[in-house]
Amino acid sequence: ISGLIMPPKRSKPQDDNGRKYYMKYTEKDLKNALCEYRSETGKSRRAIGRKYGISETTLRKKLSGELPETRGHTATGRRMTDQEEQVLMNWIDECQRRAMPVSRLNVIRSMEDILAKEQDEL
């Protein structure tokens, strides 16, 4: 169809150097926003999101269960909880105690095993 003007493609926000960045919020901010939305039905997700620096889409997906509430991509990019990281660190310490080499690939595989076990328990 000629002459049809398409809207510009939406992309992630960029900083002054043209690098993409994601919303930066803490787990505490997310928990507070979810609690506030659930307790105060008069406020919109968008208003609460602005207050805590979280996108309305993220809040909607977290509230609907489409995304888990406590795990996800946050400002630090963490995939593991503190407890899961401790299990991985204990595994690395045990390997070193036994004089077993710990490669990057082995750490990644161990991390994936830990995350899979956590998912199975849910």
Side-chain angles (χ1 to χ4, degrees):
I1 302 173
S2 63
L4 183 63
I5 298 174
M6 299 298 292
K9 195 173 186 181
R10 293 178 70 181
S11 63
K12 296 277 183 203
Q14 296 181 347
D15 65 9
D16 294 336
N17 297 324
R19 294 178 301 222
K20 292 180 182 178
Y21 66 92
Y22 296 90
M23 298 296 288
K24 294 181 178 162
Y25 55 89
T26 64
E27 284 287 322
K28 186 177 180 180
D29 288 339
L30 178 61
K31 287 179 185 178
N32 289 338
L34 295 173
C35 287
E36 185 172 331
Y37 181 79
R38 288 180 178 132
S39 65
E40 296 181 28
T41 56
K43 282 192 172 180
S44 68
R45 286 187 303 256
R46 181 172 291 174
I48 292 172
R50 278 193 205 124
K51 178 179 175 181
Y52 291 98
I54 304 169
S55 74
E56 185 273 336
T57 303
T58 299
L59 287 176
R60 178 175 40 83
K61 288 181 177 183
K62 298 272 186 186
L63 289 162
S64 71
E66 192 175 334
L67 291 175
E69 286 187 18
T70 56
R71 181 178 295 184
H73 188 81
T74 60
T76 60
R78 292 178 59 175
R79 289 185 56 196
M80 301 179 82
T81 64
D82 290 338
Q83 294 84 4
E84 292 165 341
E85 282 183 10
Q86 189 61 48
V87 170
L88 182 61
M89 289 170 41
N90 291 343
W91 175 81
I92 292 170
D93 290 342
E94 182 64 23
C95 288
Q96 289 176 340
R97 190 180 67 71
R98 294 180 182 195
M100 296 171 54
V102 180
S103 69
R104 179 178 180 268
L105 182 60
N106 287 341
V107 171
I108 290 171
R109 285 183 180 158
S110 181
M111 179 187 74
E112 289 170 347
D113 290 343
I114 292 167
L115 292 174
K117 286 177 186 174
E118 289 292 320
Q119 287 293 358
D120 291 343
E121 292 175 5
L122 297 178

